[in-house]
């Protein structure tokens, strides 16, 4: 959160932030024109915060994610955080 989230948003066309707090679920949809806050149903979620980003193609040569690279980075993180669960 903080600077990292701001930088990611600056390089994105759109960002969706899902928050599950105090048994309430919210969606914040951010684009560079407006922010929409919407309360969602009270279904149980396995997350407290989930962020989805649509990258802006004008900043990147590709917007396709190299999942093998991400998996390798997660394995490195697991060395530091042994309780980290990776579902790949």
């Amino acid at each position: 959160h903080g600077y990292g989230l701001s930088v990611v948003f600056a390089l994105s066309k759109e960002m969706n932030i899902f928050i599950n707090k105090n048994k309430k679920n919210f969606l914040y949809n951010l684009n560079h024109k407006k922010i929409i806050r919407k309360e969602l149903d009270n279904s149980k979620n396995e997350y407290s915060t989930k962020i989805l980003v649509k990258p802006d193609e004008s900043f990147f040569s590709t917007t396709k994610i190299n999942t093998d690279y991400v998996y390798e980075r997660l394995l490195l993180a697991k060395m530091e955080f042994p309780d980290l669960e990776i579902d790949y």
Side-chain angles (χ1 to χ4, degrees), residues 30-44:
L30 297 84
N31 60 47
H32 293 281
K33 296 181 181 170
K34 60 185 172 179
I35 298 172
I36 299 170
R37 179 181 181 263
K38 182 177 178 182
E39 186 166 354
L40 304 175
D41 67 14
N42 287 332
S43 62
K44 291 184 178 182

Side-chain angles (χ1 to χ4, degrees), residues 6 13 19 21-22 29 37 47-48 51 53 56 63 68-69 71 85:
S6 299
K13 282 187 172 182
I19 299 172
K21 185 174 182 180
N22 299 327
N29 174 268
R37 179 181 181 263
Y47 59 85
S48 60
I51 300 172
V53 176
D56 187 338
T63 56
D68 291 334
Y69 177 75
Y71 180 67
E85 293 182 25

Side-chain angles (χ1 to χ4, degrees), residues 19-31:
I19 299 172
N20 179 3
K21 185 174 182 180
N22 299 327
K23 298 182 181 180
K24 291 188 177 186
N25 298 307
F26 297 94
L27 163 64
Y28 293 85
N29 174 268
L30 297 84
N31 60 47

